[in-house]
Amino acid sequence: MLMANSWQTKLAKPHSAQLKRVDKPMMGMPAGSLMYISTPAEIEAYISAIPRGVWVDVSTLRKDLAQAHGADWTCPLTTGIFLRILAEAHVERVREGLSKESICAFWRVISPNSPLAKKLSCGPEFIQQKRQEEES
C-alpha cells in the first residue's frame, strides 16, 4: 500500500497536458510563444523509449515534446518537477525490490552532474552507477 505522500502516489496523480501562450518573456521563452506543459506519464513514456546505453539531455526531451505537440517550448519548470517525481518514485520501487522491468531508466535523461541529480534521494552516484552498468 502506498503512503499518501509517497513519490509513487505523486506520480500516479492524474495530470493533464496543456498548451499555453506565454504573455511575457519567462525562463528563456519570448512573449507570444506557445508553451507545452507535459505530464509525468508522458515523460515516463518518453524515457522508456530511450534505448539502453543512450543518454538524452533534458533540453532535447523538452524540444522533442514541444515539437510533438506543435509548441515552441516545453515548460522547463514543470518538466523538472515531473522528472523529480518520476525519478523519486522509481527510486522507491528500487528500494522496495520491484523487478527491473517496473523501473523507468530516468538516468538516461538526468545527468549525474545536474543540479537535479544532487537533489535526488539516490544521489548522483546512483545515476553514474546505472550509466556505467548500461555501458558494459
Side-chain angles (χ1 to χ4, degrees), residues 1-10 12 92-93 96:
M1 175 145 222
L2 299 178
M3 299 181 332
N5 60 352
S6 78
W7 290 102
Q8 291 178 67
T9 300
K10 292 176 184 180
E92 284 179 355
R93 291 179 184 179
E96 291 171 4

Side-chain angles (χ1 to χ4, degrees), residues 16-88:
S16 298
Q18 301 174 35
L19 283 170
K20 291 191 172 186
R21 187 72 58 191
V22 177
D23 295 334
K24 58 184 178 181
M26 63 181 264
M27 297 182 280
M29 295 177 281
S33 298
L34 188 58
M35 178 180 71
Y36 178 65
I37 300 173
S38 187
T39 67
E42 182 178 35
I43 292 170
E44 184 173 24
Y46 179 97
I47 293 171
S48 295
I50 300 170
R52 179 180 172 86
V54 174
W55 324 131
V56 175
D57 62 26
V58 176
S59 64
T60 299
L61 175 146
R62 288 181 47 232
K63 287 176 191 173
D64 290 348
L65 292 176
Q67 183 178 21
H69 296 281
D72 301 310
W73 307 88
T74 297
C75 178
L77 180 63
T78 56
T79 300
I81 291 168
F82 295 156
L83 275 170
R84 171 119 193 240
I85 290 170
L86 173 73
E88 294 288 9

Side-chain angles (χ1 to χ4, degrees), residues 3 11 14-15 17 28 30 35 45-46 72 80 107 111 113 116 121:
M3 299 181 332
L11 180 61
H15 292 86
M35 178 180 71
Y46 179 97
D72 301 310
W107 51 86
S111 166
N113 300 322
L116 176 54
S121 63

Side-chain angles (χ1 to χ4, degrees), residues 68-133:
H69 296 281
D72 301 310
W73 307 88
T74 297
C75 178
L77 180 63
T78 56
T79 300
I81 291 168
F82 295 156
L83 275 170
R84 171 119 193 240
I85 290 170
L86 173 73
E88 294 288 9
H90 287 278
V91 168
E92 284 179 355
R93 291 179 184 179
V94 168
R95 291 181 177 149
E96 291 171 4
L98 296 177
S99 70
K100 288 173 91 172
E101 293 78 29
S102 69
I103 309 300
C104 178
F106 62 86
W107 51 86
R108 294 180 186 155
V109 172
I110 301 173
S111 166
N113 300 322
S114 69
L116 176 54
K118 293 173 181 76
K119 294 179 186 177
L120 296 177
S121 63
C122 64
E125 299 80 17
F126 177 86
I127 294 170
Q128 188 61 44
Q129 175 191 351
K130 289 299 191 183
R131 286 184 170 203
Q132 288 172 347
E133 289 172 9

